Amino acid sequence: LDHTGTPMGSRRLRRWILHPSTKLPEIERRLNAVAELVEKPLERARLKQVLEGMSDLERVVNRMATRSAGPRDLAALRAALCAHGPLEDWLGAGVSAEAVAAVKADLAELAGDLKALKTLLAGALADEPPAKLSDGGLIRPGHDKGLDELRRLRSDSGAVLKELEERERRETGVAGLKVGYNSVFGYFIEVSKVHGAKVPARYARKQTLTNAERYITPELKELEVTLLGAEERFLKRERELFEALRAAVLEKDAAVRRFADLAAELDALQSLAEAAAQGAWTKPEVDLSHELEVVDGRHPIVETALPAGSFVPNSLSLDGRERQTLLITGPNMGGKSVFLRQAALIALMAQMGSFVPAKSARVGLVDRI
């Protein structure tokens, strides 16, 4: 049955299998949606294509709430939110079944919150964020001025030092002046002893070499502190912005979870429709009677395991008045269990909203198997 395109849809389908509905209106709602999707294979394929681009929103939001989410979880959320528009477009031109119409109305209500969150993440998050926050590069340039300055210092420290070196050469007239870095002494301005007379008073001696003197200036000292601390402050500022993004996601927690719920619903419905189309299954009639009528029923799992066309269909007729019991006899491996399980599976599939492998089927609601 599982032809879902998202983890959320797969979990929803599993829930429907484990807990078939006993509410007739809900069963009919699902069956009508599946029926229309079976009749519209192109729309069904288009829906799955839209859904396949979605991440597991439910788990992303859960990780956000427990503070275990990483940068790529935000990227996954952003990608999933991008499916909101295409889903609305599909619902506008796709199918008209009641189940789908209800999803369309709910999506319209969520549009404001989801679009605001998508816009925020699109403007703040890098195209390909790192796996870990400590790797840096999570926030898109232009989102935060302070972070942009730290990024420039972090990535263009060489250019900053070169700019300072050129300026000092012009001001002092020493063409051979150099700005360098030493892991022991830090940043320095080096002037050969030949040009010692040109050294301005604002230069403070830092180290003496055989043929040169190394100096420090207030500006270079300040720049040293800035450059050496840029990496740490860059990562700290990114952490702050990441926390702000996580808080923004949690503010829209209810909207994101509802969006995930609606996507899961659509995914499960298109999955059932795809299974029905591939298996040439039939829409069952589900009612409040005490009858189980199956014409040319087939066991969906055994039929799949056998060569095409080799499963022999069989019929079943039970009611609450005259045919309450059937006595099934035959040799071992004669198909008794297949017949029993086939009846159970057809009832279960019908009450979860699925088409069934039979020429026709009428299922009175059951509360247990």
Side-chain angles (χ1 to χ4, degrees):
L1 291 176
D2 195 349
H3 300 275
T4 55
T6 69
M8 302 171 292
S10 187
R11 286 197 297 273
R12 177 62 57 87
L13 187 64
R14 178 180 175 82
R15 194 182 312 156
W16 286 356
I17 294 171
L18 294 176
H19 304 283
S21 179
T22 56
K23 299 177 181 177
L24 189 57
E26 174 63 17
I27 295 169
E28 291 177 340
R29 188 180 70 87
R30 294 181 196 173
L31 285 172
N32 290 337
V34 171
E36 191 167 355
L37 287 169
V38 167
E39 294 298 320
K40 296 181 177 179
L42 292 179
E43 293 298 336
R44 185 172 75 245
R46 184 165 156 246
L47 172 60
K48 186 173 183 180
Q49 186 178 23
V50 172
L51 292 171
E52 282 178 334
M54 294 185 66
S55 59
D56 195 340
L57 280 178
E58 293 169 337
R59 293 192 175 178
V60 168
V61 175
N62 287 340
R63 284 196 289 269
M64 287 285 173
T66 58
R67 304 178 68 85
S68 61
R72 289 182 181 171
D73 288 311
L74 280 178
L77 173 59
R78 177 181 60 190
L81 292 175
C82 288
H84 176 262
L87 265 185
E88 281 194 318
D89 293 341
W90 182 85
L91 288 164
V95 296
S96 58
E98 180 188 351
V100 178
V103 172
K104 181 179 179 180
D106 286 352
L107 269 183
E109 287 184 14
L110 299 174
D113 285 341
L114 296 180
K115 288 177 180 177
L117 188 56
K118 182 181 71 173
T119 300
L120 173 63
L121 291 174
L125 202 60
D127 290 336
E128 296 183 6
K132 297 184 295 184
L133 187 57
S134 58
D135 292 338
L138 160 68
I139 302 300
R140 184 185 297 276
H143 177 67
D144 183 80
K145 290 183 179 179
L147 185 68
D148 288 343
E149 178 62 23
L150 291 170
R151 180 184 284 109
R152 188 180 75 86
L153 292 172
R154 177 175 178 255
S155 59
D156 301 333
S157 58
V160 173
L161 292 172
K162 190 67 176 176
E163 182 182 322
L164 175 64
E165 183 180 83
E166 292 293 336
R167 188 168 67 249
E168 290 297 331
R169 284 179 178 178
R170 289 194 303 271
E171 292 181 3
T172 61
V174 180
L177 179 148
K178 294 189 301 183
V179 175
Y181 174 77
N182 180 287
S183 60
V184 176
F185 294 97
Y187 287 96
F188 57 82
I189 298 174
E190 183 176 299
V191 180
S192 65
K193 289 185 177 180
V194 175
H195 298 290
K198 296 182 180 180
V199 174
R202 59 188 175 86
Y203 279 32
R205 185 177 282 105
K206 190 170 189 178
Q207 184 186 8
T208 300
L209 304 178
T210 304
N211 299 314
E213 295 285 350
R214 289 178 173 174
Y215 302 90
I216 189 76
T217 66
E219 181 184 6
L220 184 56
K221 184 65 180 175
E222 183 179 342
L223 186 59
E224 178 180 54
V225 173
T226 301
L227 291 176
L228 293 179
E231 179 74 16
E232 181 180 348
R233 287 184 289 125
F234 176 84
L235 293 175
K236 179 182 178 183
R237 181 58 182 157
E238 278 214 324
R239 280 194 296 271
E240 292 171 351
L241 293 170
F242 178 77
E243 290 296 336
L245 288 175
R246 179 155 55 191
V249 171
L250 291 177
E251 283 182 7
K252 308 294 185 184
D253 175 86
V256 174
R257 289 183 186 276
R258 183 59 183 146
F259 180 47
D261 183 67
L262 296 173
E265 176 94 0
L266 289 175
D267 200 8
L269 289 172
Q270 73 80 22
S271 180
L272 291 178
E274 182 65 27
Q278 290 187 14
W281 296 346
T282 304
K283 181 182 179 182
E285 178 185 351
V286 182
D287 56 29
L288 297 176
S289 70
H290 292 86
E291 298 184 13
L292 180 59
E293 296 279 350
V294 178
V295 177
D296 288 348
R298 308 180 313 271
H299 191 297
I301 300 173
V302 175
E303 181 183 38
T304 303
L306 294 175
S310 62
F311 187 95
V312 179
N314 48 78
S315 299
L316 169 67
S317 179
L318 290 169
D319 61 47
R321 298 181 301 278
E322 299 176 358
R323 295 185 302 279
Q324 295 183 343
T325 306
L326 294 179
L327 179 64
I328 303 172
T329 65
N332 291 340
M333 304 300 291
K336 301 185 300 296
S337 295
V338 170
F339 185 66
L340 291 169
R341 293 169 188 270
Q342 174 184 309
L345 286 176
I346 287 176
L348 184 151
M349 291 169 69
Q351 287 187 220
M352 65 174 284
S354 171
F355 278 26
V356 299
K359 184 176 181 179
S360 66
R362 181 185 180 195
V363 180
L365 279 179
V366 299
D367 64 353
R368 72 191 64 193
I369 292 175

